[in-house]
Amino acid sequence: MEYRILAINPGSTSTKIGVYSNEVPLFEQSIRHDRETLDSFETTIDQYEFRKASILETLDTQGINVSKLNAVCGRGGLLRPIQGGTYVVNEAMLADLKMGYSGQHASNLGGILAYEIASALNIPSYIVDPVVVDELDEIARVSGFSLIKRKSIFHALNQKAVARRVASELGRKYEELNLIIAHLGGGITVGVHKNGRVIDVNNGLNGDGPFSPERAGTVPAGDLVNLCYSGEFYRDEILKKIVGQGGLVGYLGTNDALKVEQMIGKGNEKASLVYSAMAYQVAKEIGAQSAVLFGKVDAIVLTGGLAFAHKFVNEISERVNWIADVIVHPGENELQALAEGALRVLRGEEDGKEYPG
């Protein structure tokens, strides 16, 4: 049976959409939004009517008949911590998205846009594996500092989708495998997937783990405290140096791995050291996560945009391929992952979950 699904992934200045016939993309497009127009709205959530109109206009221009849709699936936003899976958009979810339960972000618009479009068509709306997916073992929450718990914030959508694809390639079920998956992008997260649950993962938003093109990752705590109280920086300046101006940006002034590799090719020794250090830290994180699984790892998977960078991938693989085979799935097709999540529910392969009120 054919199911037609509209997938919606809102970003800070664009809205990516795709229409799928089962797993096959019929149409994909990134709708660019004028920065001044977006800035005219008081909050990000206030943009939803504008973005909804842009989506429907684009679909109409491309000759997509929305009456043939069976479901609409949006990117999950900063909700309260929940188990992984596909969730039906309900009133409780809409309320949390609008208020920004765990923060304000363009991805919060995903569930709202899905609901608004689907409701008019009398079809279901869903979100899939938002960044707040939390399946951590209790032992993984202990930070060592009694006032702070470790949090699960990571690239859940891509990690879970890639895990299922790798399981299919291996002829196994995702729920049967032990995988370590490293999402390598502007932020880097390394997740331990045990029998279908991500039982440990570094907080890729502003927490721990390897440094990345834009984020500092784990830094020496005492030195950071001293810097905060040095009188040289405001709170927001420190936060920007950790997220946005950390990692490659802080050292080399760019978050573009291709440019860094070009710098290395021209003999830039600093670029070579920093780039290798980023790969070194990813490999260390993978090694540490293998201990969570007592060394019983079925595969290590490298994914995300940086997985296209052969030098970077090779430096990681050389350090960790003794643990398990390294499988590379470059890129992050989030629209496809959203469509696949909705499709599993429509086919009855899994139940649509109820978001807690």
Side-chain angles (χ1 to χ4, degrees):
M1 180 175 178
E2 181 198 15
Y3 291 103
R4 190 164 289 197
I5 302 160
L6 169 63
I8 303 171
N9 184 7
S12 58
T13 59
S14 67
T15 305
K16 296 178 182 177
I17 62 172
V19 176
Y20 294 79
S21 173
N22 293 342
E23 296 91 345
V24 179
L26 301 178
F27 163 76
E28 293 178 334
Q29 184 169 321
S30 181
I31 305 169
R32 298 290 175 183
H33 305 302
D34 180 69
R35 180 78 266 178
E36 287 188 11
T37 301
L38 295 182
D39 288 343
S40 69
F41 295 98
E42 187 172 343
T43 68
T44 300
I45 295 304
D46 292 337
Q47 299 170 11
Y48 85 88
E49 286 282 8
F50 166 74
R51 294 206 191 211
K52 174 186 170 184
S54 298
I55 292 169
L56 294 175
E57 181 182 349
T58 300
L59 293 173
D60 184 58
T61 300
Q62 295 298 320
I64 302 294
N65 185 349
V66 294
S67 68
K68 292 185 177 181
L69 294 174
N70 299 102
V72 185
C73 191
R75 178 72 185 272
L78 295 174
L79 296 159
R80 63 188 69 210
I82 52 176
Q83 294 282 307
T86 300
Y87 285 78
V88 178
V89 180
N90 59 17
E91 292 296 332
M93 182 187 295
L94 290 171
D96 281 354
L97 289 171
K98 290 174 182 177
M99 73 174 285
Y101 183 91
S102 296
Q104 296 290 344
H105 191 271
S107 61
N108 289 8
L109 289 162
I112 298 170
L113 289 167
Y115 179 83
E116 289 287 329
I117 293 172
S119 294
L121 299 169
N122 198 29
I123 57 176
S125 54
Y126 304 103
I127 66 163
V128 182
D129 292 325
V131 295
V132 292
V133 164
D134 185 347
E135 300 168 338
L136 296 187
D137 282 349
E138 282 306 306
I139 197 169
R141 300 183 192 279
V142 181
S143 70
F145 183 31
S146 63
L147 300 180
I148 298 174
K149 275 189 174 183
R150 293 186 67 240
K151 295 178 182 178
S152 177
I153 300 178
F154 70 110
H155 303 89
L157 180 62
N158 188 47
Q159 284 209 25
K160 290 270 191 177
V162 168
R164 291 186 179 94
R165 290 182 195 128
V166 168
S168 178
E169 291 168 5
L170 297 176
R172 306 269 299 278
K173 291 182 178 180
Y174 172 44
E175 293 76 14
E176 298 173 348
L177 292 174
N178 286 348
L179 302 170
I180 297 174
I181 300 183
H183 176 105
L184 312 173
I188 291 175
T189 55
V190 182
V192 181
H193 295 242
K194 180 181 180 182
N195 305 133
R197 292 175 52 242
V198 183
I199 63 171
D200 200 350
V201 66
N202 63 294
N203 178 345
L205 180 61
N206 57 5
D208 50 7
F211 75 83
S212 74
E214 299 175 352
R215 297 169 194 174
T218 300
V219 295
D223 292 338
L224 179 61
V225 169
N226 290 336
L227 196 62
C228 290
Y229 285 90
S230 68
E232 295 181 40
F233 305 99
Y234 291 107
R235 176 181 179 274
D236 287 350
E237 290 177 306
I238 291 289
L239 290 175
K240 284 182 180 178
K241 288 184 179 298
I242 293 173
V243 180
Q245 297 174 2
L248 294 185
V249 174
Y251 285 107
L252 303 172
T254 181
N255 62 359
D256 189 331
L258 180 58
K259 288 183 179 179
V260 175
E261 291 195 356
Q262 290 171 347
M263 294 164 69
I264 294 170
K266 293 177 182 178
N268 188 318
E269 293 183 3
K270 180 181 179 181
S272 179
L273 174 63
V274 171
Y275 199 56
S276 290
M278 187 166 68
Y280 171 85
Q281 288 198 4
V282 173
K284 272 209 310 184
E285 190 75 11
I286 291 171
Q289 300 291 40
S290 72
V292 174
L293 294 169
F294 298 91
K296 297 175 182 178
V297 183
D298 293 302
I300 296 165
V301 185
L302 306 181
T303 184
L306 273 176
F308 285 110
H310 298 299
K311 174 178 169 55
F312 187 65
V313 166
N314 289 341
E315 289 198 26
I316 296 170
S317 298
E318 286 173 357
R319 291 186 183 273
V320 301
N321 58 17
W322 59 273
I323 300 171
D325 289 340
V326 177
I327 300 171
V328 182
H329 270 265
E332 47 178 311
N333 194 338
E334 292 172 331
L335 291 174
Q336 180 87 37
L338 291 171
E340 289 173 354
L343 187 60
R344 287 192 295 274
V345 173
L346 293 173
R347 285 175 168 168
E349 296 171 0
E350 63 181 62
D351 294 328
K353 295 185 176 180
E354 189 75 12
Y355 182 76

